[in-house]
Amino acid sequence: MRDFPSCFGESGVQISDSSSSSNRASQNLVTCLYKTELHGCSCTITVTWSKSLMGQGLSIGIDDDANQSLCKVDIKPWIFSKMKGSKGLEFGKSKVYIVWDISAAKFGSGPEPLEGFFVAVVIDHEMALLLGDLTKEAYRKTNANPPPSNAMFISKREHIYGKKVYCTKAQFCDNGQVHDIAIECEAVGLKDPSLEIRVDRKRVMQVKHLAWKFRGNQSILVDGIQVEVFWDVHNWLFGTPGGNAVFMFQTCLAPEKSLPLAFSQVSRESQLAGIGFSLILYAWRNE
């Protein structure tokens, strides 16, 4: 196993960020990045789902291949009238049309809808990104030209909660199986805590003597794909009571590849290098 800090550059910074000191309201969000083509050039679409006492929120941003923002739309949390709608804008000579319908969506415990919805990003009458299962409704509402979007899902960041077990779902390749991921760690009050990760209830990784190995990485296989797992549980063991642990699952990661600090940098690096999909989890302990 490689030394964990060396995976994050010469300075040895960890993947933890300032979110460890933020309040729970700001943590209830999921950010997804998609890579697609625009006029023959690569661009990135960032979709952020949020949830608050006012309802669900949605933010969509489009960046070019030089990481320059082309446009951004913030759809504030809605309770009544904003469950469906559309927004149009322009950048350069291109016209962007964003249409959404979450009125019949089903949600789990998080802010991201599970089914019964669509979100469409249309650029110059072409479907650049289509999310959700109501595809026919999306094409009818947008009048976009087929074929469907060829956008590639490259990165996801989310916050998960638990006392001993932290669960989420992930799909590590296009059209691949959606897997249940469970991270189990009982670190409070134990002299020799350990960490266990299961995929579809099968244990794929175990870290013993966690107090000595609170940061590290290990390779696992999912759907025949090599997935590099990074963990940083320093805050759980030695930090403040409200601190979070951070986990990252990265597909197709070259052994010598160094990973940067921020999520946006990780996603950007993944996009440029074409190294597949990354899932970043901020795990918070419910007191």
Side-chain angles (χ1 to χ4, degrees):
M1 180 183 295
R2 287 175 283 139
D3 180 62
F4 185 78
S6 68
C7 301
F8 299 89
E10 295 178 356
S11 59
V13 272
Q14 296 82 44
I15 52 178
S16 306
D17 66 3
S18 58
S19 62
S20 60
S21 60
S22 60
N23 57 53
R24 289 299 176 92
S26 64
Q27 296 161 14
N28 202 359
L29 52 85
V30 172
T31 302
C32 302
L33 271 74
Y34 303 86
K35 181 180 178 181
T36 189
E37 296 292 324
L38 174 61
H39 302 313
C41 298
S42 175
C43 67
T44 303
I45 302 178
T46 303
V47 179
T48 300
W49 299 94
S50 60
K51 183 178 180 181
S52 69
L53 294 177
M54 294 299 295
Q56 308 293 142
L58 175 63
S59 175
I60 299 176
I62 303 176
D63 297 333
D64 63 16
D65 200 38
N67 208 26
Q68 300 293 320
S69 177
L70 299 177
C71 64
K72 186 175 182 180
V73 173
D74 289 312
I75 304 166
K76 296 180 179 180
W78 57 81
I79 294 180
F80 302 109
S81 60
K82 293 184 179 180
M83 297 296 283
K84 62 172 68 176
S86 63
K87 283 195 175 185
L89 61 156
E90 297 182 2
F91 62 87
K93 297 182 179 180
S94 296
K95 294 183 178 181
V96 180
Y97 189 43
I98 298 175
V99 187
W100 68 92
D101 188 345
I102 321 290
S103 57
K106 294 182 180 179
F107 291 86
S109 58
E112 190 177 17
L114 303 177
E115 60 179 327
F117 77 101
F118 77 83
V119 174
V121 179
V122 179
I123 303 178
D124 295 335
H125 305 293
E126 299 290 339
M127 186 69 76
L129 178 66
L130 177 57
L131 305 178
D133 54 336
L134 304 183
T135 55
K136 292 182 178 180
E137 182 72 6
Y139 275 100
R140 187 178 69 83
K141 291 284 187 180
T142 61
N143 292 318
N145 296 328
S149 163
N150 62 351
M152 180 182 298
F153 191 16
I154 62 172
S155 195
K156 181 178 183 179
R157 176 183 65 180
E158 65 177 301
H159 298 263
I160 55 178
Y161 304 88
K163 290 186 177 180
K164 180 181 177 181
V165 181
Y166 305 80
C167 300
T168 188
K169 294 180 180 291
Q171 185 179 16
F172 291 100
C173 61
D174 289 342
N175 301 318
Q177 179 183 349
V178 177
H179 296 281
D180 293 313
I181 297 177
I183 300 169
E184 183 172 343
C185 181
E186 190 172 9
V188 178
L190 295 182
K191 292 183 178 180
D192 190 17
S194 63
L195 171 70
E196 182 175 300
I197 295 180
R198 297 189 297 273
V199 176
D200 299 330
R201 299 184 179 183
K202 179 182 178 181
R203 187 174 73 186
V204 295
M205 198 183 92
Q206 184 179 35
V207 182
K208 297 181 179 180
H209 311 303
L210 196 59
W212 295 96
K213 302 176 182 179
F214 53 86
R215 296 188 187 109
N217 63 284
Q218 184 173 326
S219 295
I220 64 174
L221 285 177
V222 181
D223 295 333
I225 300 172
Q226 181 174 326
V227 179
E228 195 79 4
V229 182
F230 296 83
W231 69 89
D232 182 347
V233 298
H234 179 273
N235 287 340
W236 278 356
L237 300 177
F238 311 111
T240 60
N244 66 302
V246 188
F247 299 86
M248 181 163 68
F249 297 77
Q250 175 75 66
T251 64
C252 309
L253 184 64
E256 70 278 6
K257 191 70 181 177
S258 296
L259 295 177
L261 172 64
F263 168 70
S264 59
Q265 292 174 315
V266 171
S267 304
R268 182 68 181 162
E269 189 73 12
S270 299
Q271 176 188 349
L272 292 176
I275 58 177
F277 174 77
S278 62
L279 170 68
I280 300 177
L281 303 173
Y282 297 96
W284 300 83
R285 182 181 294 112
N286 288 327
E287 302 297 335

